[in-house]
Amino acid sequence: MKQYAELYKKELLDQIVPFWEKYSLDKENGGYFTCLDDKGHIYDTDKFIWLQARQIWTFSNLYQEVHKEVAWKEIALLGAGFLEKNGRDTAGNWYFSLNQKGNPLVQPYNIFSDCFAAMAFGALFKIEPKKRYADTAKTTFDNILRRQENPKGKYNKIYPGTRNLQNFALPMILCNASLELEHLLGVEQVEKVTDSIVDLIMNKFYHKESGLVLENISETGEFVDSFEGRLLNPGHAIEAMWFVMNLGIRKNDNALIEKAEKIMFQQLEHGWDKRYGGIFYFMDFKGHPPQQLEHDQKLWWVHLETLVALAKTYAYNQNPKAKIWFEKVHEYAWNHFRDKQNGGEWYGYLNRQGEVFLHLKGGKWKGCFHVPRALLEVWKTLENGF
Amino acid sequence: MKQYAELYKKELLDQIVPFWEKYSLDKENGGYFTCLDDKGHIYDTDKFIWLQARQIWTFSNLYQEVHKEVAWKEIALLGAGFLEKNGRDTAGNWYFSLNQKGNPLVQPYNIFSDCFAAMAFGALFKIEPKKRYADTAKTTFDNILRRQENPKGKYNKIYPGTRNLQNFALPMILCNASLELEHLLGVEQVEKVTDSIVDLIMNKFYHKESGLVLENISETGEFVDSFEGRLLNPGHAIEAMWFVMNLGIRKNDNALIEKAEKIMFQQLEHGWDKRYGGIFYFMDFKGHPPQQLEHDQKLWWVHLETLVALAKTYAYNQNPKAKIWFEKVHEYAWNHFRDKQNGGEWYGYLNRQGEVFLHLKGGKWKGCFHVPRALLEVWKTLENGF
């Protein structure tokens, strides 16, 4: 597996990072353009907080983990300045999107904006230790914990009481965000937050009888037979499993790592499209038609996060099954998402058959994050071990 | 074209109506099951107000327009009783969805629930003239007009002022709903509501330079270069054009009918997939990647509403172009959406290549409405003229 380390490193540093350095910087207004076509041309100038924050995180992390490249720190600061100036409402909640100049377009209904902002400023503080970056990360994180019970606030359209569901995404992101912010939160808070979340994920969202991870469960942790309750998102579950593996390594908890490995393989085997290859985006627990019209598409992040989970598994115990699956998913991802013609960032959206159907490198939901993070994680994991 | 009248009538009465009569009735709780697989089996029991109301409308309309079948009136009443009892909050706004027993699941964020409820009770009043049905239709319609400026109310996530957009859907539905409710609203109110809307649609949403109908425009009626501003929905625009044709007939305004015809052909020619056939679901005004991952799919309602628009055009002026296009869309629709194996209601969702990828006859957004309404409209239009 060692030979993949070099390949992933080369792709990251020769293709992916230069693409974003070259095409995404808004030097006039600050922040980044993320709506870039396959030639790198900007086709839309709106700025989505998820993606602004994630790009700050990525360039801070490259500076921290790869080498101290001054240009990378400057790119991180270009986004941070823009977000500090424009990103929050008066209560400190992060908007969902801004226009090119930074005027708010969409209200702070989406708590993942806050999650990625906390991670961005936490990572930036590591490479540029200004107190205000740490403060932004910490107050944002506290705000997330405070909003945790009703993350959408007044924008929540669910009628209370009839069918209250818990959603998988926030606990999952908090596993990752807590670890990312440990230098600011301290060991005790990280343990307090993650212990209960890991229990929730591994014993409630993980539905033991079926071996599948549910996206939504009842307040008491039960399966609910409805569109939301039947929803499966294999990529989400697999990504969460490598977050849990990281927590297991940190706690030296082999049983937890092995349970995460088992659950990861179950989602992968269940989510793999035996007809066309690749991993489905959404599935229905009972095999009924999902409500998501895009359910059978193959998305970049699903496959890249799976490669990270498989690399980590292999690094942990050299399980030959991890190698077989890594090579299978690697083949699929490199042959389908990678842009052989133009190079640069990878494509993101394939139809079920594996054909690119959106000729973009970035958009409203795809920015400078999953591809570079996964390439870096796979490279470092296969080179240095877990 | 006359020979199609018999075909559409037969399909409506032998396949579509019996399917919903047989599989959709919840005799225990009232209302209808709409989540039905290709064999008619119920795969989910939630009740979506759009679809409950539309089925009341459809069966009331069949009773009114086809023949006085007592069973059809009973089916309409089965839904109406359920909605009267469970459908509204204390302010008279219609919820988005209820569970099987009628407890609210999703709040009244979506004004189209109200639009279809007004149409349902308006149509029911025609066949069962109880005052309370008329009252429900009228108060709901007044409520829609009152909420018109900010239909989503507190659930509106747009930050005010940066980029205020007007959306096409509500004006479009109001064209149709006003005519449907003329027996309750009176001629004067219908004219007041529709005159300004027709102007808005035909002179603002219709972008003269490009010949395309925009889904979202600025407050002053301009094109806005953003994801929402570039959005095209050819099926929506084509459906709106037959609503406008109906208004033109009512007003004896030939220029309006001919403008609607021209605009309809422009959307159809632009929206037709020259590679695989069928009409795209969403497109981007500038040809950029749309944000909707389902944009290149082929949806049943788009094609059925197009057949209605073409039948009306042909009935109006025997334009041979309308015949050519009718036969082309007819071939596509009957060969792809119709279920040759199981019969009954048609399929709804095809991938770009034209393959059924959701094996359902109804779901969260597809119920007993577009197929029967279009079959009836085509049949009656080709048999009797406009």
Side-chain angles (χ1 to χ4, degrees), chain B residues 279-331:
Chain B
I279 302 159
F280 288 116
Y281 186 13
F282 293 112
M283 302 176 85
D284 183 283
F285 181 78
K286 293 187 159 182
H288 295 322
Q291 59 171 311
Q292 288 78 8
L293 298 186
E294 65 276 27
H295 70 92
D296 65 0
Q297 297 177 1
K298 312 292 165 62
L299 269 67
W300 83 108
W301 66 265
V302 171
H303 297 77
L304 284 150
E305 298 307 331
T306 301
L307 288 166
V308 175
L310 290 163
K312 283 186 189 271
T313 301
Y314 185 80
Y316 175 69
N317 61 9
Q318 290 77 54
N319 183 345
K321 189 172 164 186
K323 181 170 184 287
I324 292 168
W325 267 111
F326 182 91
E327 292 184 334
K328 187 167 171 172
V329 179
H330 170 92
E331 281 302 311

Side-chain angles (χ1 to χ4, degrees), chain B residues 151-213:
Chain B
K152 290 193 182 171
K154 72 163 186 157
Y155 305 103
N156 182 3
K157 295 180 288 197
I158 302 303
Y159 187 92
T162 308
R163 185 191 291 152
N164 295 348
L165 296 175
Q166 305 182 68
N167 180 266
F168 184 68
L170 188 55
M172 166 197 164
I173 296 287
L174 283 176
C175 277
N176 182 231
S178 311
L179 268 193
E180 286 283 334
L181 297 174
E182 186 158 5
H183 59 299
L184 300 175
L185 304 176
V187 176
E188 209 175 308
Q189 196 183 350
V190 171
E191 281 180 3
K192 201 182 130 198
V193 171
T194 56
D195 281 356
S196 66
I197 290 179
V198 167
D199 176 57
L200 184 66
I201 290 178
M202 303 304 271
N203 298 312
K204 298 284 168 63
F205 282 103
Y206 175 59
H207 183 263
K208 205 173 160 185
E209 294 71 28
S210 63
L212 299 172
V213 176

